[in-house]
Amino acid sequence: MKSVKVGLLGLGTVGTGVVRIVEGHQEDLSSQVGSPIVIEKVAVKNIEKTRSIDIERSKLTEDPWEVICDPEIDVIVEVMGGVDQTKEYILEALNRGKHIVTANKDLMALYGAEIMDVAREKQCDIFYEASVAGGIPIIRTLIEGFSSDRIMKIMGIVNGTTNYILSKMSQEGASYDDVLAEAQELGYAEADPTSDVEGLDAARKMAILGSLGFRTNVDLQDVAVRGITTVSKEDILYAKRMGYEIKLLGIAERQDDEYSISVEPTMVKHSHPIAAVSGVFNAVYVYGEAVGETMFYGPGAGEMPTATSIVADLVAVIKNQKLGVNGLRAIGPYKPKKLKDDEQVAYKNYLLLQVADKAGVLSKITQVFAEYDVSLESVVQSPNASMSDVEIIIVTHNASKAAMNKVLSHFESLDVIRKVKSVYRVEG
Amino acid sequence: MKSVKVGLLGLGTVGTGVVRIVEGHQEDLSSQVGSPIVIEKVAVKNIEKTRSIDIERSKLTEDPWEVICDPEIDVIVEVMGGVDQTKEYILEALNRGKHIVTANKDLMALYGAEIMDVAREKQCDIFYEASVAGGIPIIRTLIEGFSSDRIMKIMGIVNGTTNYILSKMSQEGASYDDVLAEAQELGYAEADPTSDVEGLDAARKMAILGSLGFRTNVDLQDVAVRGITTVSKEDILYAKRMGYEIKLLGIAERQDDEYSISVEPTMVKHSHPIAAVSGVFNAVYVYGEAVGETMFYGPGAGEMPTATSIVADLVAVIKNQKLGVNGLRAIGPYKPKKLKDDEQVAYKNYLLLQVADKAGVLSKITQVFAEYDVSLESVVQSPNASMSDVEIIIVTHNASKAAMNKVLSHFESLDVIRKVKSVYRVEG
């Protein structure tokens, strides 16, 4: 029986996991696809490096082109990361008729549409289950499980680092800086955590999920992004008192055929299933017009979970190959993209204001909301008040982003407001 | 463009949902599969019945054979329920080269292997996503999402009626009988609730999930079943005090290549994600050797959620049809089935004993456990004690079912034990 030959680009954490699964589960895998799966060649940065797995030295190369140009290789598994150079590798591999399995969210968020067009043209598969939410098969679920439904809302905890930080801050009452330092020590956060804590990593994943859920092309710049660096101990404490957790949520919403996609720290009601997702775990909540509420939970990163998704994609590629249908199951045509503007995007808001402690303050503040047609769900004076100032917590009803921006800008010229301490979206 | 013609067997709740989705989402569906989908003929019990959807009377028939024998029809969607007669319909439809989508868990649990063999032989698809956990695409997830992994454990809340009853008992401290009556009034439980409350419905679903997860043929009689009819208010109260919820859990476990499958009321630690699944919702927790912990949550029944799964299967059938690969993606070959015996099945146990209030009782009881090599995690005297008796709560470490049976049978002849009030499996 002819074996299927796989070329691996990258042998870091995830690449190592892929080798482990392909070798460890070989019998199961080959019984499913009908032939052995062989890791034929692996592009690495440094051949000399000591590795935790046994791999024949002759299979290693420091030149990715050697893998891509090898005519024996059927499928390229790309787990090296990077964008521009990697895109070049992948396009060349597709041009050579090789199928692609990738975990590269940056690449897919930036150039997914272009790469998938080439794949379709070359009748090659390109699968990327591992690019979002590690071991959770959410991409398959959106494409196949919910092919019959109209997805109205996707809310995702799709970045484990920030969820770890926020969970720890919530559980231990610790500060952002302290927890970040601890996360870096434990290897849950990188030395330069910008991409995670500023929400960029989550934004890339939401661009991918939004594209799939709405069957349109969501670009990275369509995602409104705000990170967690300004989330304070106090914010989390206040949120808890009111029955909320603060989570970095990616939210993709549809109304009729108009979309909005954002990533921001959000106050989520405790009763919502996503509020309980803690630590490095990921979860994606999907609301479909017909199916209603669903949620998919699991490890968002790590060697073996991510490798599970990659090898599942590999199995799918090989099954398609045996049936001669590679590149033919891709979804399309895509719908034209209509993004909502700030007048149309509406949600509940939480505001924490530090205001002067004098008569008539509340009336002045509520007047501003009224002026821009923002109605209020609750106004509460916080117990944490200093001598001359008091704190007020306001939760609005659904209000447009545009109206809220006007309210906030008006507040700047309102002398009774000393400081707008926090503003958060509210869900659940 | 030639349309795809669907024959519907049954137009009850779920059948109506299927018609609604196929009509309401026609544009989305046909853009995915490349041709219109038409509900061509529908077998109903009574043509005269008033219905909540508009459907041409000429499409209705009271004779299922008219649907099955119609040469124009490509796919049969079976949502009429029933086993023996329905099996005959489905086998004949397969023999006529028609693909099958079914929501029929009873049929698939009893005759799934046989029906799938015929489907393979006839190169027809048979899909049954809706048969387990309604709107949650768990069957796809096990077949495709985790094709690369070795599933070690599946724990499912796969019956909404019993989860509703247990959740209500837990939230309101109500008795089983009261909540059952209420559930019957609300339509969450049937007039004859036996199949739900005795765990038979869940057992059928676990036979299906076990077969898929372990890639073997789990028969219904392989599932050890215990229902919820003996779960008392007191049990739930005690469980909560110790940090547990009582859930009717289907548990399918693998150790090496030996399996055990059961359905029973189980004490689940609050920290386990499945403990928070309440009301009529379903959830399936899957532990894979590589992926680790995952959970899939959503509506377990209902018109539209179930129809979502059926129409997603329909889309898959039609895509396969366009590609000419129907019946070729089925998994197989199946592995031989090895079930664990009672010596090998081991888990933690909770026991509530009513014992005589005299010196030396505890020593006599713990001696029995020691005799059968069952070690104990905790022994606590309950606050609820009467004048002459006391209650003791014991939690064991993992103990084999065989050893526990010996302990319980020994207790019958131990005069200090007045009554074994409750025994539950413990998870999480």
Side-chain angles (χ1 to χ4, degrees), chain A residues 180-302:
Chain A
L180 173 61
E182 192 195 318
Q184 284 171 321
E185 256 175 57
L186 290 168
Y188 291 159
E190 296 187 41
D192 175 3
T194 313
S195 163
D196 291 321
V197 299
E198 294 295 356
L200 306 175
D201 174 83
R204 290 178 195 125
K205 292 162 177 170
M206 289 311 297
I208 295 172
L209 293 184
S211 295
L212 292 167
F214 303 144
R215 301 194 185 99
T216 189
N217 286 322
V218 176
D219 292 314
L220 188 51
Q221 59 266 36
D222 301 331
V223 187
V225 187
R226 179 180 152 201
I228 65 162
T229 53
T230 58
V231 177
S232 68
K233 278 205 284 200
E234 192 185 33
D235 289 336
I236 287 180
L237 184 70
Y238 282 28
K240 281 182 104 147
R241 270 194 210 140
M242 297 173 66
Y244 293 95
E245 286 292 327
I246 295 184
K247 294 289 181 190
L248 183 68
L249 284 197
I251 304 180
E253 269 182 304
R254 172 204 305 236
Q255 212 170 28
D256 302 318
D257 271 321
E258 299 199 326
Y259 313 104
S260 64
I261 303 102
S262 62
V263 168
E264 61 187 302
T266 303
M267 296 191 16
V268 190
K269 211 145 212 150
H270 276 140
S271 54
H272 194 285
I274 212 165
V277 175
S278 65
V280 293
F281 275 91
N282 278 200
V284 181
Y285 167 95
V286 179
Y287 186 89
E289 193 179 73
V291 75
E293 294 192 280
T294 62
M295 196 176 84
F296 307 90
Y297 167 93

Side-chain angles (χ1 to χ4, degrees), chain A residues 139-393:
Chain A
I139 289 182
R140 276 193 169 68
T141 297
L142 289 175
I143 296 178
E144 290 169 25
F146 294 146
S147 61
S148 54
D149 206 357
R150 190 169 291 141
I151 304 298
M152 304 308 288
K153 190 168 190 172
I154 302 173
M155 294 208 293
I157 293 178
V158 289
N159 179 275
T161 303
T162 48
N163 202 49
Y164 174 84
I165 293 173
L166 293 173
S167 303
K168 271 274 176 179
M169 286 175 72
S170 170
Q171 285 153 14
E172 299 175 3
S175 77
Y176 171 77
D177 290 325
D178 289 349
V179 178
L180 173 61
E182 192 195 318
Q184 284 171 321
E185 256 175 57
L186 290 168
Y188 291 159
E190 296 187 41
D192 175 3
T194 313
S195 163
D196 291 321
V197 299
E198 294 295 356
L200 306 175
D201 174 83
R204 290 178 195 125
K205 292 162 177 170
M206 289 311 297
I208 295 172
L209 293 184
S211 295
L212 292 167
F214 303 144
R215 301 194 185 99
T216 189
N217 286 322
V218 176
D219 292 314
L220 188 51
Q221 59 266 36
D222 301 331
V223 187
V225 187
R226 179 180 152 201
I228 65 162
T229 53
T230 58
V231 177
S232 68
K233 278 205 284 200
E234 192 185 33
D235 289 336
I236 287 180
L237 184 70
Y238 282 28
K240 281 182 104 147
R241 270 194 210 140
M242 297 173 66
Y244 293 95
E245 286 292 327
I246 295 184
K247 294 289 181 190
L248 183 68
L249 284 197
I251 304 180
E253 269 182 304
R254 172 204 305 236
Q255 212 170 28
D256 302 318
D257 271 321
E258 299 199 326
Y259 313 104
S260 64
I261 303 102
S262 62
V263 168
E264 61 187 302
T266 303
M267 296 191 16
V268 190
K269 211 145 212 150
H270 276 140
S271 54
H272 194 285
I274 212 165
V277 175
S278 65
V280 293
F281 275 91
N282 278 200
V284 181
Y285 167 95
V286 179
Y287 186 89
E289 193 179 73
V291 75
E293 294 192 280
T294 62
M295 196 176 84
F296 307 90
Y297 167 93
E303 175 183 317
M304 298 309 277
T306 310
T308 302
S309 286
I310 289 174
V311 182
D313 277 351
L314 190 56
V315 168
V317 166
I318 301 171
K319 280 188 177 174
N320 283 346
Q321 200 183 13
K322 301 277 163 177
L323 298 172
V325 296
N326 292 110
L328 300 175
R329 302 183 79 85
I331 40 166
Y334 273 64
K335 289 188 196 164
K337 175 175 65 187
K338 275 178 266 171
L339 291 176
K340 288 198 217 174
D341 60 29
D342 283 358
E343 300 283 351
Q344 297 166 298
V345 178
Y347 43 80
K348 286 165 75 171
N349 293 269
Y350 160 102
L351 294 94
L352 175 61
L353 307 177
Q354 185 178 339
V355 304
D357 188 9
K358 44 183 168 180
V361 167
L362 214 54
S363 132
K364 280 189 184 164
I365 292 173
T366 52
Q367 224 173 352
V368 176
F369 282 103
E371 191 177 332
Y372 302 105
D373 270 337
V374 175
S375 63
L376 304 182
E377 182 182 291
S378 65
V379 180
V380 178
Q381 185 175 322
S382 147
N384 283 28
S386 73
M387 294 293 278
S388 57
D389 291 354
V390 291
E391 284 183 357
I392 292 179
I393 292 172

Side-chain angles (χ1 to χ4, degrees), chain A residues 21 25 28 31-32 144-145 147-148 215 289-291 293-299 304 308 312 320 323 329 332 335, chain B residues 25 28 31-32 144-145 147-148 215 289-291 293-299 304 308 312 320 323 329 332 335:
Chain A
I21 292 185
H25 296 181
D28 266 4
S31 86
Q32 285 181 72
E144 290 169 25
S147 61
S148 54
R215 301 194 185 99
E289 193 179 73
V291 75
E293 294 192 280
T294 62
M295 196 176 84
F296 307 90
Y297 167 93
M304 298 309 277
T308 302
N320 283 346
L323 298 172
R329 302 183 79 85
K335 289 188 196 164
Chain B
H25 296 182
D28 265 5
S31 86
Q32 285 181 73
E144 292 169 23
S147 60
S148 53
R215 301 193 187 101
E289 194 179 73
V291 75
E293 294 193 279
T294 62
M295 195 175 84
F296 307 90
Y297 167 93
M304 298 308 278
T308 302
N320 283 347
L323 298 171
R329 301 184 79 84
K335 290 188 193 163

Side-chain angles (χ1 to χ4, degrees), chain B residues 141-179:
Chain B
T141 297
L142 290 175
I143 296 178
E144 292 169 23
F146 295 146
S147 60
S148 53
D149 205 358
R150 191 169 289 142
I151 304 297
M152 304 307 289
K153 190 168 191 172
I154 301 173
M155 293 208 293
I157 294 179
V158 288
N159 179 275
T161 304
T162 48
N163 201 49
Y164 174 85
I165 293 173
L166 293 172
S167 302
K168 272 272 176 178
M169 287 174 72
S170 171
Q171 285 153 15
E172 300 175 1
S175 77
Y176 170 77
D177 290 324
D178 289 348
V179 178

